[in-house]
Amino acid sequence: MLTFLLEALIRSSILIVAVWALLRLCRPRSANGEKFAWTLVAAALLVMPLLVWWIVAGTMPLTMLPAQLAVSTGALAELPPLVHSLGAGVVAIYVVGVLAFTARLGAGLLIGARLRRDAQAVPEWGAGMDVRLSARVHGPVSFGSTVLLPVCSLHWDAATLRAVLAHEREHIRNRDAYRLWLASLCRAIFWCNPLVHWLNRRLALLAELTSDAAAVEAIGDRSKYLDVLIRIAGGAPSPAVLVPMTSHLNWTARMRQLLSPNTRSVPRSTSRNAVVGSAILLLSAFVAGCAAKPLVLTGPAAASALQPGRSPSLAVLKSFYPQLLRQRKIQGKAIVRITVDADGRVVDTSIVAEQPAGVGLGALAQRVARAYRFHNTLHRPVITNLPVRFALQQAASGSPPTQSSPGG
């Protein structure tokens, strides 16, 4: 699990950096084009773990390593208990973080749905939009396809209302709320990656830049629109799932664009978006497929790729066969799926089968697998199955029973 998390962190970082470089090279003419690109990246990050699993697990069927290879494999000292506990602690922290961010997103959606339900519709302002008044919002916000305005908007002049509605209409036309919900879900899954947090903030900024440009075009006066933003700014912060018109998180960048003489709404370029989208999809597939993809091998192929090394001592092997199981004369076999890195170390294990079940032989077999080291002739990660047999052997001298080697 820890290995999977580290790989996900690396893959997500590679994809974000690669798309950033691609956008700098292509130089999109509008914020709409860049927003489209980063939305695709957020979706690709959510799909990538499934794509990686499909590439790795679907390559070839798994079979067991030959017994003679397992008997003669070399030893790797067992990881100290502290290292195991640290790995489990990291995974636990990650899970807690995912739950916290997911709960935040879910709570925000619930609050937004209640705000929309309790708000009063104002159809004469809508012009095809769902516009509602709410006493619980302190500034214009959009939630899905609904625009929520504060009660004080009843006293706004016509120019202010036109600018605000033009801004929110652009949010709804671009489905910005849904884009940001997708980015928030991506942040919940990849919360430990700072670049994903940057992606979330970048999408929020681009959503405001495109809406600002549309509002300036609607009222035809940049300075007047700046006055509108300054006048309605302030108040309590909105829930994260709402799209506030006057968020202070991206205020500086918005002011910089509005003060630029080139602030205007640029039409979408379908062909350009198609080219950028295709490039991002190809990048996603490339990153998912080539970032240290393990090779899944069957028995004969694994036998030639993983050559024997040093054998663990008898004392080490006996330590993996608990005295309690030996006293009860419990014998059996477990099959563990192992991932061997380029240096021959077993870096990940999972239980495939155990017989008899319920006595813990699978967990013991995982410890045995990590005590072995291979000479990896392919110099790339390899996945295969390793059988470990637990058998009582009574020596002629009456020595205590011991555990046999894996597969022996």
Side-chain angles (χ1 to χ4, degrees):
M1 181 63 175
L2 183 58
T3 302
F4 179 80
L5 293 179
L6 292 175
E7 289 182 353
L9 177 65
I10 294 172
R11 288 189 177 100
S12 60
S13 300
I14 292 175
L15 180 60
I16 292 174
V17 172
V19 172
W20 177 86
L22 175 65
L23 291 176
R24 298 287 74 76
L25 181 64
C26 296
R27 296 184 179 277
R29 294 188 302 164
S30 69
N32 269 321
E34 186 178 350
K35 184 167 59 176
F36 171 76
W38 288 123
T39 303
L40 277 184
V41 170
L45 289 178
L46 291 175
V47 175
M48 190 175 294
L50 297 178
L51 182 61
V52 171
W53 177 86
W54 178 79
I55 291 175
V56 173
T59 306
M60 293 178 64
L62 293 170
T63 61
M64 292 187 298
L65 282 171
Q68 64 270 19
L69 176 63
V71 170
S72 58
T73 50
L76 171 66
E78 186 188 10
L79 294 176
L82 177 61
V83 176
H84 289 295
S85 61
L86 284 176
V90 170
V91 173
I93 292 173
Y94 167 77
V95 172
V96 171
V98 170
L99 294 177
F101 277 96
T102 304
R104 179 186 177 187
L105 175 60
L109 291 172
L110 182 61
I111 292 173
R114 288 177 177 175
L115 286 175
R116 180 172 58 184
R117 181 196 62 190
D118 298 337
Q120 180 182 356
V122 190
E124 59 270 20
W125 287 0
M129 290 191 304
D130 181 16
V131 180
R132 306 187 186 190
L133 291 177
S134 174
R136 297 168 58 189
V137 299
H138 303 274
V141 297
S142 61
F143 177 76
S145 58
T146 300
V147 176
L148 299 175
L149 299 179
V151 176
C152 65
S153 61
L154 293 171
H155 306 290
W156 290 347
D157 58 71
T160 299
L161 186 60
R162 185 168 65 252
V164 169
L165 292 179
H167 181 100
E168 299 301 333
R169 182 179 293 108
E170 188 70 8
H171 277 315
I172 294 173
R173 189 170 72 94
N174 292 327
R175 297 179 176 84
D176 286 333
Y178 304 105
R179 295 174 189 268
L180 296 181
W181 295 351
L182 177 69
S184 295
L185 179 60
C186 183
R187 181 179 59 182
I189 302 300
F190 297 92
W191 66 267
C192 51
N193 189 343
L195 292 179
V196 176
H197 291 266
W198 174 87
L199 170 61
N200 192 278
R201 294 191 300 270
R202 184 64 182 172
L203 268 176
L205 171 61
L206 292 170
E208 296 305 324
L209 293 180
T210 54
S211 292
D212 285 342
V216 168
E217 186 173 340
I219 65 175
D221 192 326
R222 184 181 298 108
S223 61
K224 185 179 294 186
Y225 180 68
L226 276 171
D227 292 338
V228 169
L229 286 181
I230 295 172
R231 189 164 60 250
I232 66 177
S238 303
V241 297
L242 302 180
V243 185
M245 181 177 176
T246 56
S247 172
H248 293 285
L249 296 178
N250 45 40
W251 195 258
T252 303
R254 293 174 65 186
M255 292 301 103
R256 187 182 302 116
Q257 170 167 296
L258 289 172
L259 293 173
S260 170
N262 297 322
T263 300
R264 61 188 180 90
S265 180
V266 180
R268 294 181 180 85
S269 173
T270 304
S271 59
R272 194 178 186 90
N273 285 351
V275 172
V276 173
S278 300
I280 292 175
L281 293 178
L282 289 175
L283 275 174
S284 302
F286 176 78
V287 171
C290 76
K293 184 189 75 173
L295 180 66
V296 182
L297 297 179
T298 57
S304 61
L306 304 178
Q307 298 298 323
R310 299 181 303 274
S311 299
S313 66
L314 180 62
V316 170
L317 289 176
K318 287 176 61 178
S319 68
F320 295 132
Y321 203 167
Q323 183 68 24
L324 181 62
L325 295 184
R326 287 186 279 158
Q327 288 176 349
R328 294 181 179 179
K329 297 184 178 181
I330 294 179
Q331 304 180 83
K333 188 175 185 179
I335 301 175
V336 291
R337 174 173 167 142
I338 62 172
T339 301
V340 183
D341 67 9
D343 295 327
R345 292 186 294 265
V346 178
V347 295
D348 193 25
T349 62
S350 60
I351 302 172
V352 176
E354 56 182 337
Q355 182 65 36
V359 297
L361 292 184
L364 295 173
Q366 287 182 291
R367 296 181 63 196
V368 172
R370 287 190 176 273
Y372 278 76
R373 183 161 184 171
F374 301 88
H375 175 58
N376 190 343
T377 59
L378 296 179
H379 302 291
R380 62 176 298 184
V382 172
I383 292 178
T384 190
N385 279 6
L386 178 70
V388 180
R389 182 187 304 168
F390 295 86
L392 297 172
Q393 296 178 346
Q394 189 69 35
S397 60
S399 59
T402 61
Q403 173 208 357
S404 68
S405 299

